[in-house]
Amino acid sequence: MTTIEPGWYADPADPATQRYWDGAGWIGKPVPAGEEPPAEPEPVDPEPEPLPQSTPDAPVQTLPADPRFGDGPPPKIIQRTPGTVQPPDTVPIRSLGVTIGWITRHDVDRILGGRLLAHPGQRFVARLVDLVCLLVLNAVVNGYFIYQFMQTVWPYVLEAAAADDPADVQMPARASDQWWVVLLIALGLWFAYEVPATLNSGQTLGKRLMGIKVVSLAPVGLGWGRLLLRWSYAALPLICFPFGAILWFLDGIWCVRDQPFRQCLHDKSPGTAVVEVRSTETQGEKEPSA
């Protein structure tokens, strides 16, 4: 049996290189065949440790089936990114006047499900009717406290109007407390008038007279939480009267230019819209009975 002396020899696996034979096997890194090899071979790099076994992905939770959307996937919002242009056959989704994305007209139709959005004029007249109802309620329930407040403030108003410098006339201290009592009672009456009625039928008296109602754009019911949020956006700015009244006015006219669901600002976060009642009744007639 022939024994090969340790040394550098041509690599049988790659004739263009040479490797060191230690008498029992090939060791070290190969070097080019025409290069002077080192006295000792350079150790081979250790093999990398295997990567740890990845854990399986968590199951993805899917939305429950909703017959209003048909058999297709849920509607998708196309997010706006820098440099993108509006895709074809889409309508913009705007927040505070800025386009934040787009949604296809097909998905808008699927969300509405045949329901017709209420005209801003219908919403305006309905709000006027509700305002008259609230004034009547306040006259009955809150009238005594309003009378006490006016008894306190009216002499101050007359004195300030007759004074050379109205700033020298001091407002009675109890007027502030009386004002807060009047305001909180008025807000409580507004809540009691609007939120339970909207939860029950989607309609206040004004909306009922105008043939419109509040609906959810998501495949879930309205619920107390969402309607409380909706009412808060509309009512609480009035606490900061008169500056809050400006925000309240902007909220009311927002639906004139809003796309694609003609929402006021107080409709945005709770995901509601106002539609015509006759369109919801037509939709119900088209649905097959269980």
Side-chain angles (χ1 to χ4, degrees), residues 31-261:
V31 297
E35 185 178 306
E36 182 69 23
E40 296 292 335
E42 184 180 352
V44 178
D45 294 334
E47 294 184 2
E49 296 182 1
L51 296 176
Q53 187 176 2
S54 60
T55 57
D57 295 335
V60 178
Q61 183 179 5
T62 57
L63 293 175
D66 181 7
R68 194 177 68 194
F69 294 153
D71 297 330
K76 179 182 179 182
I77 295 178
I78 305 170
Q79 299 291 338
R80 182 181 183 184
T81 56
T84 57
V85 296
Q86 180 175 346
D89 197 32
T90 61
V91 292
I93 299 174
R94 294 193 176 102
S95 177
L96 300 179
V98 178
T99 299
I100 60 174
W102 301 274
I103 185 171
T104 64
R105 299 182 188 277
H106 175 64
D107 279 345
V108 172
D109 294 339
R110 293 169 62 205
I111 292 174
L112 292 176
R115 298 171 295 188
L116 299 178
L117 293 170
H119 190 276
Q122 293 175 290
R123 298 189 66 169
F124 177 71
V125 175
R127 182 57 72 184
L128 287 181
V129 172
D130 291 337
L131 182 59
V132 171
C133 293
L134 286 171
L135 289 176
V136 173
L137 281 174
N138 275 275
V140 174
V141 180
N142 209 9
Y144 172 76
F145 300 99
I146 296 175
Y147 173 77
Q148 291 292 326
F149 175 72
M150 294 304 299
Q151 286 287 95
T152 301
V153 173
W154 189 245
Y156 161 78
V157 174
L158 296 178
E159 185 179 353
D164 295 333
D165 187 1
D168 294 336
V169 182
Q170 297 293 323
M171 171 77 76
R174 65 179 182 276
S176 177
D177 295 336
Q178 291 174 332
W179 165 250
W180 278 106
V181 170
V182 169
L183 181 61
L184 291 177
I185 293 176
L187 288 175
L189 290 173
W190 188 355
F191 177 87
Y193 170 82
E194 182 161 325
V195 176
T198 306
L199 179 66
N200 181 50
S201 63
Q203 296 175 292
T204 56
L205 179 59
K207 288 183 174 63
R208 191 176 296 275
L209 292 176
M210 294 306 301
I212 59 179
K213 66 183 297 184
V214 179
V215 296
S216 171
L217 292 177
V220 292
L222 289 172
W224 280 102
R226 296 173 67 194
L227 289 180
L228 177 60
L229 180 64
R230 185 178 189 271
W231 175 84
S232 298
Y233 276 105
L236 294 186
L238 292 182
I239 293 180
C240 304
F241 187 86
F243 304 105
I246 300 175
L247 180 59
W248 186 75
F249 175 76
L250 291 175
D251 172 35
I253 65 174
W254 199 266
C255 60
V256 175
R257 296 292 303 275
D258 183 74
Q259 290 184 353
F261 300 113

Side-chain angles (χ1 to χ4, degrees), residues 4 6 21-26:
I4 301 177
W21 176 266
D22 66 351
W26 301 100

